Amino acid sequence: MQPPSDIVLAFTGASGALYGVRLLEVLLATGRRVHVTLSHAAARVFEAELGLSPDPERCTIEQIIAQRSPAADRLNALRPVDRPGAQGKPFAGAERGECVFHRLNDFSAGIASGSFRTAGMVVCPCSMGTLAAIAQGLSTNLIQRAADVHLKERRKLIVVPRETPLGLIQLDNMRKIVEAGGVVLPAMPGMYHQPQAIIDLVDFVVARICDHLGVEVDLAPRWGETRSAT
Ligand SMILES: Cc1cc2nc3c(=O)[nH]c(=O)nc-3n(C[C@H](O)[C@H](O)[C@H](O)COP(=O)(O)O)c2cc1C
């Protein structure tokens, strides 16, 4: 039996929608089938940060990464033109993968069940609200339920929180998720790769997420590797 290659990607209402959009682009370009769901607060953040209005009940890929969407323009603007790969259009290769949208309250979706096989789930960005719900196992929407399923099935669950400073309750929720087997991977880009543009910071975080998912990508130079491009 082939190992599953489907990945669940949930967007929630923390700042940093671009991290999730870039992750979706990269996963699709590697030929993955990505199950996407987003919260109502995530839609509000998409609007504030990317000028997009995805509908959590009827979302389509065009609402997130259409070739001519503001997100595409924004990613393009963030890509330094003198970088290898920069000549490629934004979302180049995204057609290699498949995007399946699930309504936030569709508990009959495959990803709500442990019998549906996946290679892992990422909540990116992850709000403190969803973080708390996952830590408590609330399962009041599809994002929380799918996260709960990933933990109980001992599959990869990666949450990408964005908040600062952090309080005791938030830190305690992160501890609970780690103890339950999840990975807490904050949107905290390093700077040792000498970022030249915002996309370099975004890619730093996306590359770390892909490392934990076991998805091979070459997005950011690793410490100890010589920089091939400036
Ligand atoms: C523009 C905007 C930015 C926000 N940024 C954050 C953030 O960085 N971190 C966070 O935890 N919540 C943030 N929030 C608040 C969450 O969206 C809010 O707590 C919401 O209830 C989370 O719901 P969800 O977990 O269902 O997405 C932000 C809200 C808005 C409108």
Side-chain angles (χ1 to χ4, degrees):
M1 199 179 355
Q2 289 269 355
S5 69
D6 290 34
I7 288 169
V8 181
L9 171 57
F11 293 87
T12 65
S15 182
L18 197 53
Y19 288 111
V21 171
R22 176 65 170 151
L23 177 62
L24 177 59
E25 172 191 34
V26 166
L27 292 176
L28 291 175
T30 64
R32 298 298 180 126
R33 184 187 296 131
V34 187
H35 296 263
V36 173
T37 183
L38 66 152
S39 71
H40 291 275
R44 175 73 193 86
V45 173
F46 264 78
E47 203 176 338
E49 297 185 342
L50 300 173
L52 293 173
S53 315
D55 180 347
E57 299 305 323
R58 268 180 295 276
C59 191
T60 63
I61 190 158
E62 287 74 24
Q63 291 177 340
I64 295 187
I65 64 165
Q67 204 74 13
R68 294 306 313 155
S69 75
D73 291 344
R74 182 125 179 79
L75 266 180
N76 209 18
L78 295 172
R79 243 172 256 249
V81 285
D82 56 349
R83 280 298 167 80
Q87 299 79 4
K89 290 191 180 119
F91 310 111
E95 68 285 352
R96 266 181 241 139
E98 189 189 340
C99 197
V100 183
F101 276 99
H102 300 283
R103 284 180 295 111
L104 184 63
N105 289 314
D106 184 7
F107 290 105
S108 59
I111 59 170
S113 166
S115 64
F116 187 90
R117 298 171 77 230
T118 75
M121 172 171 180
V122 189
V123 185
C124 179
C126 184
S127 72
M128 293 302 104
T130 292
L131 184 93
I134 294 171
Q136 299 302 325
L138 295 188
S139 290
T140 57
N141 63 33
L142 183 60
I143 296 173
Q144 297 166 16
R145 168 65 186 165
D148 203 39
V149 164
H150 278 73
L151 288 177
K152 86 180 171 72
E153 297 293 329
R154 304 284 196 268
R155 294 201 201 127
K156 280 174 200 158
L157 172 70
I158 301 164
V159 296
V160 185
R162 210 280 352 149
E163 187 54 274
T164 194
L166 292 164
L168 182 60
I169 292 171
Q170 296 156 342
L171 289 167
D172 209 37
N173 287 332
M174 290 182 198
R175 179 185 59 76
K176 282 195 179 113
I177 290 174
V178 171
E179 281 179 357
V183 174
V184 176
L185 197 156
M188 277 183 196
M191 302 223 173
Y192 54 79
H193 63 312
Q194 299 176 3
Q196 311 287 305
I198 290 173
I199 192 71
D200 296 336
L201 297 170
V202 172
D203 277 358
F204 182 99
V205 173
V206 170
R208 299 300 290 128
I209 296 169
C210 288
D211 280 351
H212 280 269
L213 281 173
V215 172
E216 281 287 325
V217 289
D218 188 18
L219 288 177
R222 294 169 189 278
W223 183 248
E225 285 179 350
T226 45
R227 274 178 79 82
S228 58
T230 55

